Amino acid sequence: MSSPNQIVFFDTTLRDGEQSPGCTMHHDEKLRMAHQLADLGVDVLEAGFAIASQGDSDSIRMIAREVRGPRIASLARCKREDIEAAARSIEPAEKARIHTFLASSDLHLEAKLKITRPEALHQAAESVRLARTFADDVEFSAEDATRTDPDFLVEIVTVAVQAGATTINIPDTVGYTTPDEYAATFRMLFAKVPGIVGPNGRDNVILSTHCHNDLGMAVANTLAGIQAGARQAECTINGVGERAGNAALEEIAAALMVRRDKLPYTNNIKLNQLFPTSQMLAEFISFGCSPNKAVVGANAFAHESGIHQHGMMANPLTYEIMTPESVGVPATNMVLGKHSGRRLLEQRLTELGHSLTRTQLDDVYHRFTELADRKKSIYDQDLLGLLQSDKSSVTTH
Ligand SMILES: CC(=O)SCCNC(=O)CCNC(=O)[C@H](O)C(C)(C)COP(=O)(O)OP(=O)(O)OC[C@H]1O[C@@H](n2cnc3c(N)ncnc32)[C@H](O)[C@@H]1OP(=O)(O)O
Ligand SMILES: CC(C)C(=O)C(=O)O
C-alpha cells in the first residue's frame, strides 16, 4: 500500500498537451515520448482520446501494448461510443484506466451541452458505471469544476463516487481559480462527499488536480490542491496544453524536491530525467520552451551578471536553489556579457591561458565593457582580440 503522502503523477502531454496548436505528434513520436515518460517515472500516462481519430486510438493501443510501468489511460466523453473506444484502445495495457469527463458548471451545461443538472448527474453516473464494466480503474472529471456551483459539484462528485469512480479529478479547465480557493474546494469535497475517505481513515478515492495556466497559477494551484489533500497531479512536460498550457510536470516535481520542508510528499519521478524529457518533447513539437522557463529553460541555470557570477564562484547555493545535474541539465552556464564583472573575465582568460596582473585586468575589463555594450554575444576570439591590443603586458602560460 502506498504512503498517504504519495503523489500520483498523471502525465497528459500526449492528450491535453497535444490538443494545443503546434503540438501534433506522429505515431512513432508518441511512442518514443511514452517510453521516455515511463523512464521519467510517471504513474499514469494519458496516451490520447481514443474516439478522436483512428490515429489517436491506434497510438493509445500501441502505447498500451509496448510501454510498461505507467498505467495507460484514454480520455472519453460521457458517451457509450467514447467509453467503448477507450476500452478497446487500452485493452493491451498491463494497467489501464478509463478517464471519463462531463462539464458541471451551469455555463457549460446550458450553453454547450444543453442539458439540465439532473441529466448531467444521470449521464455522469451511467458513464462511470459503464466504464467500470471495462476497467477497475476509472477516473471521472467534472470539467470546469472551479466555476461550478459548489453544492452541485458535491452532488456530481458524489454520484461519480457511488457509481464506482476510483479517481475524481477537479479540473480548473480555464485557469480561473486561485490557490486558496482551489484548496478550499478540495477541503469541501473531503468534508461533504461520502465515500472519499474509507473507514480506516485513508482515501478510498483519490482526488486529483488538473490546472491550466491562463493566469500563470497552474503550478501554484496544483501545489495548493496537494496541500489540501489531493494525491494526483495532472500535468504536462514543458507545461504544454490548451491555450496557456497545463501545470508543468517539471515545476511540480522540482518544487516537491526543493521545498520538501513545506511539501513533505513522496513521488516516483526521476528528477534527472526532467531535462531529457523536455528536450525530447521540444524536438517533436513545433516549439521549445522559453529560455526563462523554470527548471528546464536554457537560462534556468545561466548567470550573466557579475554579482551573481561572483556569488556562484564562491558557492553555487548563493544563486541556485537546486543543482542543474539534479534535474538532468548538464551544467551551470556562466555567460560573459554586458553585466559581467572582473572575476569571470579573469577566470575565462586564465582558462584561455592568460594570467593578468590587477592593472592589466582593469585595463582589459575596461575594453571588455566597451565591447559588451556593442556586442550581444562575446566569444573567446573576442577576448583574445582584447588581449592583442595589450599583448606586450599579458603573460601567456
Ligand atoms: C477540457 C477538455 O480538454 S475536453 C477534451 C477536448 N479535446 C478535444 O476536443 C480533442 C478531440 N476532439 C475531437 O476529435 C472531436 O471534437 C470529437 C471526435 C470528440 C467530437 O467531434 P464531433 O462529433 O464532430 O463534435 P464537435 O467536436 O463539433 O462537438 C463536441 C460534441 O461533444 C459533446 N460533448 C462535449 N463534451 C462532452 C462530454 N463530456 N460528454 C458528452 N458529450 C460531450 C458536445 O455536446 C458536442 O456534441 P454534439 O455534436 O452532439 O452537439
Ligand atoms: C478533460 C478534462 C480533464 C480537461 O482536460 C480539463 O477540464 O481541462
Side-chain angles (χ1 to χ4, degrees):
M1 191 192 281
S2 66
S3 116
N5 276 352
Q6 177 78 8
I7 305 301
V8 172
F9 270 80
F10 176 116
D11 180 90
T12 183
T13 307
L14 300 182
R15 197 280 296 171
D16 209 330
E18 209 211 12
Q19 272 171 217
S20 55
C23 291
T24 299
M25 283 171 259
H26 300 308
H27 206 52
D28 52 332
E29 292 169 336
K30 282 192 168 182
L31 182 62
R32 279 185 60 199
M33 200 64 214
H35 278 297
Q36 179 60 33
L37 290 166
D39 289 347
L40 174 65
V42 306
D43 304 286
V44 185
L45 196 167
E46 188 162 59
F49 189 172
I51 199 78
S53 66
Q54 189 59 46
D56 234 32
S57 143
D58 290 346
S59 291
I60 302 168
R61 202 172 162 81
M62 186 171 62
I63 290 168
R65 202 170 46 232
E66 296 195 17
V67 176
R68 289 292 171 259
R71 186 175 288 282
I72 309 300
S74 169
L75 189 66
R77 290 172 296 178
C78 280
K79 285 172 85 97
R80 172 172 287 277
E81 59 264 40
D82 281 41
I83 292 165
E84 288 174 350
R88 282 192 299 277
S89 69
I90 57 173
E91 186 265 321
E94 193 179 50
K95 292 177 283 178
R97 171 177 296 183
I98 295 177
H99 175 194
T100 190
F101 73 100
L102 189 69
S104 52
S105 66
D106 287 332
L107 176 64
H108 279 236
L109 293 182
E110 287 162 19
K112 188 184 79 172
L113 299 178
K114 303 195 188 316
I115 56 173
T116 61
R117 285 184 179 188
E119 284 167 335
L121 294 176
H122 178 73
Q123 200 170 334
E126 286 298 297
S127 300
V128 171
R129 258 193 288 279
L130 176 64
R132 278 299 305 257
T133 64
F134 297 111
D136 290 342
D137 188 306
V138 170
E139 173 170 333
F140 174 75
S141 285
E143 187 189 357
D144 206 21
T146 53
R147 293 191 299 170
T148 296
D149 167 38
D151 291 337
F152 186 63
L153 187 62
V154 169
E155 275 190 74
I156 200 160
V157 168
T158 302
V159 300
V161 169
Q162 283 167 352
T166 47
T167 297
I168 294 286
N169 186 32
I170 305 300
D172 184 28
T173 303
V174 289
Y176 175 77
T177 198
T178 59
D180 58 333
E181 188 181 66
Y182 200 46
T185 302
F186 282 97
R187 284 195 292 269
M188 174 194 74
L189 293 171
F190 277 111
K192 294 194 175 170
V193 177
I196 293 182
V197 181
N200 55 2
R202 297 182 66 129
D203 295 356
N204 270 343
V205 173
I206 289 187
L207 294 192
S208 166
T209 65
H210 178 111
C211 298
H212 281 269
N213 208 29
D214 300 65
L215 295 175
M217 291 193 282
V219 171
N221 287 334
T222 301
L223 296 175
I226 288 173
Q227 288 180 298
R231 288 294 173 267
Q232 174 174 281
E234 301 199 356
C235 45
T236 59
I237 300 301
N238 295 347
V240 294
E242 289 277 5
R243 305 175 310 282
N246 287 59
L249 183 150
E250 57 278 1
E251 295 177 20
I252 301 167
L256 294 180
M257 165 190 58
V258 173
R259 295 311 309 271
R260 48 185 171 259
D261 56 327
K262 277 194 79 66
L263 300 163
Y265 308 102
T266 53
N267 65 83
N268 292 326
I269 295 296
K270 294 180 189 68
L271 292 160
N272 65 2
Q273 289 303 307
L274 290 174
F275 185 65
T277 313
S278 160
Q279 294 279 295
M280 181 182 281
L281 180 68
E283 188 191 320
F284 293 160
I285 64 176
S286 62
F287 54 92
C289 51
S290 67
N292 62 338
K293 166 81 179 60
V295 186
V296 291
N299 286 354
F301 297 94
H303 310 270
E304 200 214 82
S305 60
I307 293 167
H308 290 217
Q309 289 169 341
H310 172 216
M312 285 293 294
M313 288 159 84
N315 181 341
L317 290 176
T318 53
Y319 289 102
E320 283 181 356
I321 58 171
M322 58 195 134
T323 64
E325 295 80 12
S326 67
V327 292
V329 173
T332 286
N333 183 11
M334 299 279 251
V335 180
L336 254 187
K338 181 181 168 184
H339 308 97
S340 301
R342 287 175 184 73
R343 279 191 176 76
L344 186 67
L345 178 65
E346 183 181 29
Q347 187 190 69
R348 203 48 61 78
L349 288 170
T350 305
E351 283 163 9
L352 291 170
H354 299 279
S355 82
L356 276 63
T357 64
R358 178 69 200 203
T359 316
Q360 289 166 338
L361 180 62
D362 284 346
D363 182 46
V364 174
Y365 180 66
H366 178 69
R367 278 180 277 129
F368 167 78
T369 53
E370 284 174 351
L371 178 71
D373 253 341
R374 298 191 310 270
K375 217 166 170 288
K376 293 202 179 192
S377 305
I378 310 279
Y379 300 103
D380 287 351
Q381 63 266 35
D382 298 316
L383 296 182
L384 295 172
L386 290 175
L387 290 180
Q388 268 157 16
S389 1
D390 192 20
K391 220 171 185 173
S392 57
S393 55
V394 174
T395 317
T396 304
H397 57 84

